[in-house]
């Protein structure tokens, strides 16, 4: 059984199928970019939280909320996943103020 890890792509014969294949490449690239941006903004907020800078973390969280919501609206991630990430980041930011107070 000599199988490769990558699945062999079949050549599409119908014109509509070829067009769909072309569109899928563009959509995949767009979704990948948005997924990457989602991960990046979350990491930026987490880094600010770890450094202990509440003001910077809160500012980054405001920008991250827009990105997280847009990714959920486009259906790349489920809305509950987006809500979970926002909730956890918000809790971490609020926890920064608790020890100082």
């Amino acid at each position: 059984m000599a199988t490769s890890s990558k699945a062999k792509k079949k050549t599409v014969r119908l014109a509509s199928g070829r067009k769909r294949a072309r569109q899928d490449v563009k959509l995949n690239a767009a979704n990948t970019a948005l997924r990457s941006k989602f991960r990046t903004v979350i990491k930026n907020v987490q880094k600010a939280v770890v450094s202990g800078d509440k003001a910077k973390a809160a500012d980054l969280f405001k920008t991250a909320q827009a990105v997280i919501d847009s990714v959920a609206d486009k259906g790349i991630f489920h809305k509950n996943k987006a809500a979970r990430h926002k909730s956890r980041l918000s809790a971490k930011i609020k926890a920064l103020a608790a020890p100082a107070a």
Side-chain angles (χ1 to χ4, degrees):
M1 283 194 328
T3 59
S4 66
S5 59
K6 282 191 171 184
K8 185 177 177 184
K9 289 193 174 187
K10 294 183 92 174
T11 305
V12 183
R13 293 171 188 235
L14 298 175
S16 60
R18 288 195 299 269
K19 181 178 179 180
R20 185 77 245 168
R22 286 194 309 269
Q23 289 175 335
D24 286 343
V25 171
K26 292 178 186 175
L27 287 170
N28 188 9
N31 288 345
T32 303
L34 284 170
R35 200 174 301 114
S36 174
K37 189 173 185 179
F38 173 87
R39 292 184 186 127
T40 302
V41 295
I42 288 174
K43 285 179 188 174
N44 288 342
V45 175
Q46 288 174 340
K47 284 179 186 175
V49 168
V50 169
S51 69
D53 190 356
K54 184 177 193 295
K56 184 178 177 186
D59 186 43
L60 287 171
F61 179 65
K62 285 181 184 176
T63 58
Q65 278 182 311
V67 174
I68 293 169
D69 285 334
S70 71
V71 168
D73 288 340
K74 291 177 174 134
I76 295 169
F77 290 127
H78 195 274
K79 60 181 178 146
N80 290 357
K81 176 175 178 148
R84 182 175 67 244
H85 279 283
K86 289 193 299 184
S87 175
R88 288 181 181 170
L89 288 175
S90 177
K92 286 180 182 179
I93 292 170
K94 286 180 183 175
L96 285 177

